[in-house]
Amino acid sequence: MINILFAAKPANWVSYEAPLRRALDDTGLAYNLCRETTAPASIDYLVYAPTGPVNDFTPFTNAKAVLGLWAGVEGITGNETLTVPLTRMVDEGLTEGMVEWVGGHTLRHHLGIDRHILGQDGEWRDYVPPLARDRTVAVLGLGELGRACATALSALNFNVLGWSRREKSIKGVTCHFGDDGLEQILSQAEIVITLLPLTAGTENLLNAQRLSKMPRGACIINPGRGPLIDDDALLKALDTGQISHATLDVFRVEPLPKDHPYWAHPQVTVTPHIASETRPASSSRVIAENIRRSVSGEPLLHLVDRKAGY
Ligand code: NAP
C-alpha cells in the first residue's frame, strides 16, 4: 500500500480529491490518499503546495519524493529539511492558461486597445497599430511556460526574441542567452514578458540600468515573480515615460497591499496572481504518473535542480 499525503490548503483538497483519486486509480496502484496523518513515517509521497501545512519534512522519514503542485518553487528550494527528490508542476492546463493570458495582454499593448476602451468620448482616434511582424517582443525565460508563450506569439507573427540561462533553439524565436544576450534583447524589445523563476540570479533583473536600455515607451508584462523587477526603478521609469505600461500579475508581497503605488498608477495594470493556475484534472495525472514512475524505478518527471533554484 502506498501512502500519499495531500499537503495543501483545505480548499485545494476540495478541488483535487476526486481528480487525484481518478488519476491514481488509473495507475492500478494500491494507495491510501489522506489529508492529514498521525504517522508521518508511514508516508511515501507528499503532494505539496507551499501554502499548505507542511514546512518541516523531518518527520517524513520514509518519503520517496515531494511532488509540488506549483510551477514556482522558490519557497521550498532552500528548505534544508527536504532531502528527497522534489518535482515541480508542469501541467498542460497551466501552460495553456499562461499562453492565453500572455497572448491577451501582449495584444492589448500591441493593438493599443486601451485607446478605444478608455476613449469612448466622441473623439475619432484613427490610430493604426503596426503589424505584429513589425513589433518586437521578448520573452525572458524559455522554460515550459516561456517557450509555449514565445511559440504562440511567433505564430501570431510577432518578431519574437527569447532569453534563457543556457543556449536554446526554438522554431520562430531568435534565442539569446547569458548577460550579453539580455542586453541585446532589451535594446530591441517593445514588449517584454518575464517568465523566469525567482532565484539569486534573477532577482531585480529588470533594474534601473536595464530599464533605461529598453526602447522608450516599451511595455512590461510580468507573470513570473514580483522580485524579478526592482519596483522603485519601474515606478520611476513609468513616471518618465521610459516604460509606457506595466501589466503585473505577481508582487513581492501578495496580496499587493492596498496602499501600494502600483494600484493607483495610471500606467500599471495589476492582476491578482491569476495569470495561470494548475488545473486539477491535468495536474493530477502528472502527480499520479510520477508516483507510478517512482514505484517502478523510472526517473521522475520535472525534477527541480535545487542548486540552480528551479
Ligand atoms: P521553467 O520551465 O523552470 O523555466 C525557467 C526558464 O527560466 C528557463 O528557460 C531557464 O533557463 C530560465 N532561467 C532561469 N534562471 C535564469 C537566469 N539566471 N538567466 C536566464 N534565464 C534563466 O519554469 P516555467 O514552468 O516556465 O515557469 C516560469 C515561472 O513562471 C515559474 O518559476 C513561476 O515563478 C512563474 N509562474 C507564474 C504563474 C502565475 O500565475 N503568475 C503561474 C505559473 C508559473 P534554462 O532553460 O537555460 O534553464
Side-chain angles (χ1 to χ4, degrees):
M1 180 67 72
I2 301 160
N3 289 317
I4 305 165
L5 176 67
F6 187 83
K9 287 194 296 194
N12 295 132
W13 177 251
V14 174
S15 45
Y16 273 91
E17 185 187 2
L20 195 49
R21 286 193 191 282
R22 262 197 305 277
L24 289 164
D25 288 347
D26 288 346
T27 64
L29 297 169
Y31 68 91
N32 168 42
L33 175 65
C34 60
R35 257 186 71 189
E36 40 196 38
T37 180
T38 51
S42 69
I43 297 296
D44 297 294
Y45 299 96
L46 288 93
V47 179
Y48 168 84
T51 46
V54 176
N55 280 314
D56 179 4
F57 294 90
T58 320
F60 299 94
T61 46
N62 285 306
K64 290 25 171 214
V66 170
L67 309 167
L69 284 173
W70 288 21
V73 288
E74 70 278 4
I76 186 179
T77 47
N79 187 326
E80 287 178 1
T81 68
L82 177 59
T83 53
V84 297
L86 166 69
T87 64
R88 64 186 201 93
M89 184 46 66
V90 173
D91 160 38
E92 61 190 27
L94 176 74
T95 305
E96 274 177 48
M98 188 59 82
V99 167
E100 292 173 18
W101 188 90
V102 165
H105 286 278
T106 302
L107 285 170
R108 169 192 174 193
H109 295 307
H110 166 61
L111 295 173
I113 288 174
D114 286 11
R115 282 168 207 258
H116 307 297
I117 290 180
L118 305 175
Q120 299 292 301
D121 52 5
E123 191 184 325
W124 193 254
R125 293 178 175 83
D126 60 356
Y127 168 75
V128 178
L131 290 173
R133 69 175 69 242
D134 297 319
R135 178 83 74 191
T136 299
V137 305
V139 181
L140 308 186
L142 294 173
E144 295 295 332
L145 301 177
R147 169 188 284 262
C149 291
T151 302
L153 293 169
S154 164
L156 285 172
N157 245 1
F158 285 104
N159 177 34
V160 184
L161 312 177
W163 186 66
S164 55
R165 190 162 63 93
R166 296 162 292 190
E167 198 168 355
K168 290 228 157 18
S169 164
I170 300 174
K171 191 168 171 265
V173 180
T174 307
C175 296
H176 295 258
F177 67 103
D179 287 349
D180 293 348
L182 182 60
E183 298 288 312
Q184 278 189 51
I185 282 192
L186 291 181
S187 67
Q188 299 170 61
E190 296 163 89
I191 301 175
V192 171
I193 298 139
T194 41
L195 271 168
L196 293 157
L198 175 57
T199 67
T202 61
E203 186 161 5
N204 288 322
L205 189 89
L206 292 187
N207 56 20
Q209 186 259 340
R210 294 203 175 101
L211 292 170
S212 74
K213 297 282 188 252
M214 292 170 63
R216 190 166 174 79
C219 293
I220 289 171
I221 300 178
N222 182 20
R225 282 293 181 260
L228 299 176
I229 301 180
D230 175 336
D231 294 320
D232 290 339
L234 176 58
L235 284 162
K236 278 192 192 120
L238 286 161
D239 288 340
T240 62
Q242 169 60 14
I243 301 298
S244 64
H245 199 101
T247 296
L248 308 173
D249 185 56
V250 282
F251 306 90
R252 275 164 210 271
V253 178
E254 295 181 5
L256 184 67
K258 282 196 168 35
D259 58 352
H260 195 285
Y262 281 150
W263 280 117
H265 202 292
Q267 270 85 45
V268 175
T269 301
V270 170
T271 62
H273 202 146
I274 45 75
S276 192
E277 217 180 53
T278 305
R279 309 290 156 148
S282 43
S283 62
S284 291
R285 289 195 290 271
V286 176
I287 298 283
E289 168 62 6
N290 257 343
I291 292 176
R292 186 202 65 74
R293 281 171 168 258
S294 173
V295 169
S296 25
E298 295 172 38
L300 291 174
L301 300 170
H302 320 310
L303 269 174
V304 173
D305 174 349
R306 297 200 38 206
K307 226 174 178 178
Y310 66 100

